[in-house]
Amino acid sequence: MAADLCLVSGGLGPTHDDRTVELVAKVAGRSLVLDEALHEEIGGVSRSIAERLRRPYADFEPGVRKQATLPAGAVSLGLAGTAPGMVLDTGTGAIVVLPGPPSELRRLWPRALETDAVRRVLERARPPGRRVLRFYGASESAVAKALADAGGDGRGVEATICARDFEIHVDLLVEPGAEERGETLERALVDPLDRYLFARDERPVEALVLDLCRARGWSLGTAESCTGGLVAGRLTSVPGSSDVFAGGVVAYADAVKEAELGVPSETLAEHGAVSAETAAAMAAGVRARLGLDVGIAVTGIAGPGGGTPGKPVGLVHLHAETPEDSHGVEFNFPSDRETIRARATAAALHLTRRLLSQERDSRV
């Protein structure tokens, strides 16, 4: 093998087209052998499945045997489903084979790092340093232009630009010896985009919002209409969010906005459900209703129907309120329903982050 470390994922299932293990053995010149302990472990999981499905275990046995058959000398990483991960020491390097489903891959990857074969490879390597820059409100082309104006990557620094969740993520991989070049490129890239830079690490914006609340001892809740609970969903996806996030109200109908959030009927009649005034009332209402410090509100028209010339599909009003401040923004982003809802969710979280960070502008 030319590579010191080869990482492979997927193709570890029980069916005929799951051929990863077979092909890894062929490339490495190893025979395939049954791992008896692994056979018993996978068999135990499969027996439970067979019982739940009321099917005979014999139906599963060929697949169990296939999944428990590894290249000679391979080290099993155990199970994160029914597909085992494994590490094969090639003598000059290592092959790591992991399940395809991301959750299973993530569970077994730390075990791979603990194996002797992978440790030896990593001890020999001098991995590049990594600098993470995350921007919100800047376009991908603006970031690309800033990188070009800064002299571009190369000379020991590799830059990647990725648009993700309506943010722009930049990774700078800095080879050993090119640290000064990396610092120079980072400064030149950030200077024209500083007002859009919101993080130098990989914590998602929902984690940043929770950390900002946590630092002040503040509780947080959401009042959502068009996003239907997506903002709350992102906040509660963060482990440990329960010490900050108290709950939310999905107030889709006007009657629920009135009854549960205390939005005045006069506000709804005069300005409509999709308005800056209603969003502000929703944010204040969820704070009062749940006894919270911070309220986030979203109301808009996600489509595909329901728009008017004055309030088209894609119009969304956001509002965040704290004990010290309150701020709202409006955006109009004509698109499909899924994109409008996802963009509104991200914008609501960033609005709250900026308010908690005492940044005031209208970026969405």
Side-chain angles (χ1 to χ4, degrees), residues 249-263:
V249 176
V250 176
Y252 220 62
D254 287 0
V256 178
K257 292 180 177 69
E258 289 187 52
E260 301 301 328
L261 296 174
V263 178

Side-chain angles (χ1 to χ4, degrees), residues 4-63:
D4 294 315
L5 184 63
C6 178
L7 308 178
V8 185
S9 69
L12 304 182
T15 59
H16 73 284
D17 55 346
D18 289 308
R19 302 185 61 194
T20 297
V21 171
E22 172 191 342
L23 295 176
V24 166
K26 184 176 181 179
V27 168
R30 305 290 179 90
S31 60
L32 289 167
V33 294
L34 181 68
D35 184 315
E36 295 289 353
L38 188 58
H39 182 250
E40 184 62 30
E41 186 178 5
I42 300 174
V45 175
S46 297
R47 284 187 181 89
S48 297
I49 295 173
E51 289 175 5
R52 289 200 303 270
L53 298 178
R54 298 182 180 179
R55 289 173 54 189
Y57 173 70
D59 291 353
F60 294 82
E61 171 58 24

Side-chain angles (χ1 to χ4, degrees), residues 130-150:
R130 182 165 177 250
R131 300 166 185 265
V132 177
L133 304 171
R134 295 173 60 210
F135 301 93
Y136 180 75
S139 68
E140 192 171 8
S141 59
V143 176
K145 182 180 183 301
L147 178 63
D149 291 344

Side-chain angles (χ1 to χ4, degrees), residues 13 47 61 65 70 112 159 182 184 212 224 242 318 321 346 353:
R47 284 187 181 89
E61 171 58 24
R65 191 174 186 85
L70 305 179
T184 300
L212 287 165
E224 302 181 61
S242 60
L318 313 165
E321 182 175 291
R353 172 190 59 77

